[in-house]
Amino acid sequence: MCLLDRYKLSWTVRGDPVKVTRKLSAITNSKDDEGVLVGKWSGSYDDGKSPLHWAGSVAILNEYYKTKKPVRFGQCWVFSGVMTTLCRALGIPARSVTNFASAHDCDGSISIDSFWSESGEPMEELNKDSVWNFHVWNDVWMARPDLPPGYGGWQAIDATPQEASDGVYCCGPASLEAIKRGEVNMPYDTPFVFAEVNADKVNWELNEVNETTIVGVDKRSVGMRISTKLPKGRTGCIEHFCYDIQREDVTRMYKHEEGSNEERTAVLQANQNSTKKGLYNEGKQSDVEFELVDKETVPYGNDFEILLKIKNISDEERTISGCISTSSIHYTGITANAIKTVQVKEEKVRTKSDKVISVKVTFDEYFPQLVEQCHMKMSCMCRVLETKHTYVHQDTFRLLKPDIKIKAPATGKIRQLIKAKVSFKNPLPCTLTHCTLTVEGPGLQEPNVLKQSIVASKQTFMTTIEFLPRKAGLKELVVVFNSKELSMVEGYCEITIST
C-alpha cells in the first residue's frame, strides 16, 4: 500500500488488476522513479555489494520500506521474486517464469537481427538485439475485459527494466493466448514478449556501401523450455536435462510446437505488425550443407573445439570461404570480449564428399576474456563461391563449473549446533586465489563471508561450517565459493529443523 500511495496509483483503478500489475512492474525497478530495486548486469560494484542472488524478496521490500531508497543490486530473477511477493500480497495470483534462450528485441522488428561483414565476421557494434541465456519474469492470473473473449487467464508481466513502454520501464500484462497466436496488436507489450519466446534470428550481410541482404534465418533457437514451479500437491519427473522434480514446462502456453504450421503462422502474423515486414521470402536450396556443431556445455578449465561440418551433395567440386570466431558474452547475450577468429580461405570440398573444419580454443586463450557466469558464443559465416550461397549460424554455450558438495544432517533442532562439510575440486590448471565462502540460509544462518586459503590446481577444497538454526521448518542452506579465478561455485541442501 505504501508503494501504491507513493507512486500515486489512483484509488479509482486499484480494483483493476490490469492497471495495478502494470504499475507494479514499473515501480519494482528504479529506472524511472526510484522504485524498489536497482538492476546491474556487469562491471564492478562501486559500493562493494554484489547482486542479490539469494536475498529473499521480503527482505528486499523491508529494506526499501525502511530506507525509502532503491535496494542494490538485482537481476531478473530478483525482480521476479519481488513481483511475486507484491502481487500475492494484493491477492493477485502470480508465478515466476524462466525462459531459456530469451530474445531481447530492441527495435520492434519482432526478430533478432545480426549483422555480418562481407569477410564473414560479426559486426558487434551494429548488433543491438540479443538473446539472453535465460530471463525470468512473471505470469499473473486475471480477467481481461479490455480484450476480446478468450484472452483472460495467464498474463505476462516483467519488472526487469529492458525497454521503455509508453515512456516508462514496465512490461505487460500481455495475454499468453495473444502471444501464442501471434496477435501482437493487443495490449500491453505483446510484441516484445512474443519476440522473447518466438522471434526468429535474422542474419544480414552489410556490404561496403551499407546495403543489407538477408543471408540466413534461424527459426528454432529462441524460447526454450519455458519453466515455472509446479503447484503444491503435484509431482513432476526428472528429465535428462533437468534434475529439478518441481519444474513445470509451460512452453506450450506461450507458443505452438516449434516448426509446426500453427507456430509458423503465428510468426508470420506477428511479422505483419513489425517494423520489418516481409522477411520470409524463401531462397533457393543450397547444394552444400553446413552444420556448426552445437554445444550444451564445456567443462571449465578444458580446451575445446569448434567443429564445422560441410557436405557437398552436388555433382561438382565446391569452394568454401568464410570465418569462424568465438567470444565471451554476458548472460544477456551481449558480446563481452573476442577470443579467437580464424579465416576459412578457399577450402575445396570434392563432389559427394564431406569435410570437417576444426578450430581449437585453449584454456589460456579464453580464460583472460571471460566474464560473469562464463557464457560463450561461437559464430560462423561461410560462402560457396561457385553458387554464392551463404551459411550463417551462431550458438551459445556455457563453461560448466563444478558444484559444491555439502554433507549435512537431514534434521536438526533450534539453537543446537549443526556442522556441515563443504567441498569441490578445482578444475582449472591454475591456483585459486583471494578465496571466500559465503554461507547463508533463512532461519539457519545470517549471510556470512568467510575468508579461505588458496586452492591449488586440480586439488580439492574442503572446509567445515557451523551454524545455529533459529527457526523451525524445512530450511535451505546455500553456500557460494568465490575466487579471483573462479567465481560463483554454488551448492545447497535442505535441512528440516524442529523445536
Side-chain angles (χ1 to χ4, degrees):
M1 298 304 292
C2 169
L3 283 170
L4 298 183
D5 290 343
R6 185 174 183 183
Y7 296 100
K8 298 179 174 60
L9 185 65
S10 169
W11 282 95
T12 59
V13 301
R14 292 194 188 186
D16 185 344
V18 175
K19 292 183 173 60
V20 170
T21 55
R22 185 161 174 78
K23 174 62 78 172
L24 288 178
S25 78
I27 62 182
T28 296
N29 68 73
S30 65
K31 196 75 172 180
D32 309 292
D33 43 27
E34 294 296 296
V36 174
L37 197 57
V38 181
K40 193 171 182 67
W41 285 265
S42 62
S44 62
Y45 299 93
D46 51 14
D47 63 354
K49 291 186 177 182
S50 61
L52 295 164
H53 292 287
W54 305 110
S57 57
V58 173
I60 293 168
L61 289 165
N62 281 340
E63 182 175 342
Y64 181 79
Y65 184 73
K66 288 186 292 186
T67 66
K68 301 299 187 289
K69 294 180 180 179
V71 181
R72 307 168 81 177
F73 296 100
Q75 298 185 13
C76 61
W77 59 94
V78 187
F79 284 101
S80 177
V82 172
M83 274 296 296
T84 301
T85 297
L86 289 173
C87 289
R88 290 179 178 178
L90 293 174
I92 299 171
R95 63 188 185 187
S96 285
V97 173
T98 302
N99 178 36
F100 295 94
S102 184
H104 182 167
D105 174 29
C106 293
D107 59 3
S109 65
I110 317 184
S111 59
I112 303 305
D113 302 300
S114 297
F115 294 88
W116 302 73
S117 69
E118 288 183 295
S119 63
E121 296 184 45
M123 304 181 71
E124 301 295 359
E125 69 277 8
L126 299 180
N127 294 336
K128 306 302 180 185
D129 293 344
S130 61
V131 179
W132 296 33
N133 181 267
F134 66 92
H135 182 48
V136 187
W137 60 75
N138 292 86
D139 285 344
V140 286
W141 180 275
M142 65 181 68
R144 288 299 299 268
D146 58 322
L147 300 180
Y151 292 87
W154 288 116
Q155 316 286 312
I157 59 172
D158 193 350
T160 301
Q162 295 186 90
E163 298 291 330
S165 173
D166 298 329
V168 177
Y169 280 89
C170 63
C171 182
S175 166
L176 265 61
E177 187 62 29
I179 295 165
K180 185 173 184 176
R181 296 181 183 183
E183 296 176 350
V184 297
N185 57 316
M186 295 190 180
Y188 291 90
D189 307 305
T190 310
F192 185 80
V193 183
F194 180 91
E196 287 185 299
V197 300
N198 209 12
D200 288 346
K201 295 173 69 174
V202 181
N203 296 285
W204 305 81
E205 183 181 67
L206 187 68
N207 65 20
E208 58 186 13
V209 294
N210 290 328
E211 295 174 334
T212 56
T213 304
I214 294 179
V215 292
V217 179
D218 186 348
K219 302 175 182 179
R220 292 174 176 261
S221 60
V222 164
M224 305 293 181
R225 297 167 181 163
I226 306 174
S227 307
T228 191
K229 185 177 180 180
L230 277 170
K232 287 184 179 180
R234 290 175 55 189
T235 56
C237 61
I238 293 178
E239 298 159 282
H240 73 280
F241 59 86
C242 179
Y243 296 98
D244 189 347
I245 200 169
Q246 298 184 66
R247 172 184 175 271
E248 179 179 13
D249 194 298
V250 293
T251 307
R252 293 294 171 263
M253 298 189 73
Y254 276 88
K255 58 198 289 190
H256 294 283
E257 183 179 355
E258 199 74 68
S260 65
N261 290 334
E262 293 86 354
E263 185 264 343
R264 285 290 91 197
T265 298
V267 172
L268 292 172
Q269 176 158 320
N271 176 248
Q272 297 307 306
N273 291 278
S274 79
T275 57
K276 293 180 180 177
K277 299 180 181 179
L279 295 177
Y280 296 97
N281 297 322
E282 299 291 343
K284 183 180 178 181
Q285 187 71 26
S286 172
D287 57 13
V288 179
E289 297 174 352
F290 295 87
E291 180 190 2
L292 185 65
V293 179
D294 289 350
K295 299 179 183 295
E296 288 288 339
T297 59
V298 170
Y300 188 19
N302 289 11
D303 301 342
F304 64 87
E305 284 185 299
I306 300 174
L307 298 177
L308 176 64
K309 295 182 178 181
I310 306 171
K311 184 175 183 178
N312 181 6
I313 59 176
S314 75
D315 295 325
E316 300 176 357
E317 183 178 76
R318 294 295 185 228
T319 308
I320 310 299
S321 287
C323 179
I324 299 173
S325 62
T326 184
S327 59
S328 62
I329 60 173
H330 301 288
Y331 93 91
T332 56
I334 302 299
T335 298
N337 302 305
I339 294 173
K340 192 167 189 175
T341 299
V342 174
Q343 295 291 333
V344 178
K345 296 183 178 180
E346 298 192 3
E347 289 280 346
K348 300 293 184 180
V349 186
R350 297 193 304 272
T351 180
K352 307 295 184 183
S353 67
D354 300 344
K355 187 165 193 161
V356 176
I357 297 175
S358 171
V359 176
K360 184 176 182 179
V361 182
T362 67
F363 172 80
D364 290 336
E365 287 174 321
Y366 70 70
F367 176 69
Q369 309 302 333
L370 293 178
V371 292
E372 79 288 342
Q373 299 187 32
C374 300
H375 294 296
M376 307 275 285
K377 177 171 67 177
M378 54 183 181
S379 306
C380 174
M381 178 176 175
C382 284
R383 180 174 284 110
V384 182
L385 299 186
E386 290 82 2
T387 64
K388 307 303 181 186
H389 173 75
T390 302
Y391 168 80
V392 177
H393 187 69
Q394 292 182 321
D395 179 44
T396 60
F397 59 96
R398 183 166 57 93
L399 298 175
L400 190 63
K401 301 175 186 179
D403 292 325
I404 282 183
K405 297 178 181 178
I406 304 174
K407 290 185 177 181
T411 60
K413 291 187 176 183
I414 292 177
R415 292 182 292 278
Q416 288 190 7
L417 187 69
I418 293 178
K419 294 183 179 182
K421 294 182 178 180
V422 176
S423 65
F424 77 93
K425 185 177 180 180
N426 173 15
L428 305 188
C430 62
T431 298
L432 306 183
T433 61
H434 301 89
C435 304
T436 62
L437 194 70
T438 301
V439 182
E440 63 181 297
L444 291 177
Q445 168 72 53
E446 291 289 340
N448 191 16
V449 179
L450 308 171
K451 290 186 177 180
Q452 305 294 314
S453 60
I454 63 172
V455 184
S457 172
K458 309 300 181 181
Q459 296 301 303
T460 298
F461 165 82
M462 297 183 67
T463 191
T464 299
I465 56 176
E466 299 178 347
F467 51 92
L468 287 169
R470 305 183 312 278
K471 294 183 179 180
L474 181 62
K475 304 300 178 183
E476 186 174 81
L477 177 69
V478 178
V479 180
V480 183
F481 178 93
N482 284 293
S483 68
K484 182 180 178 181
E485 298 76 16
L486 178 63
S487 63
M488 295 304 296
V489 181
E490 304 166 353
Y492 74 93
C493 70
E494 293 181 339
I495 304 174
T496 300
I497 304 300
S498 59
T499 55

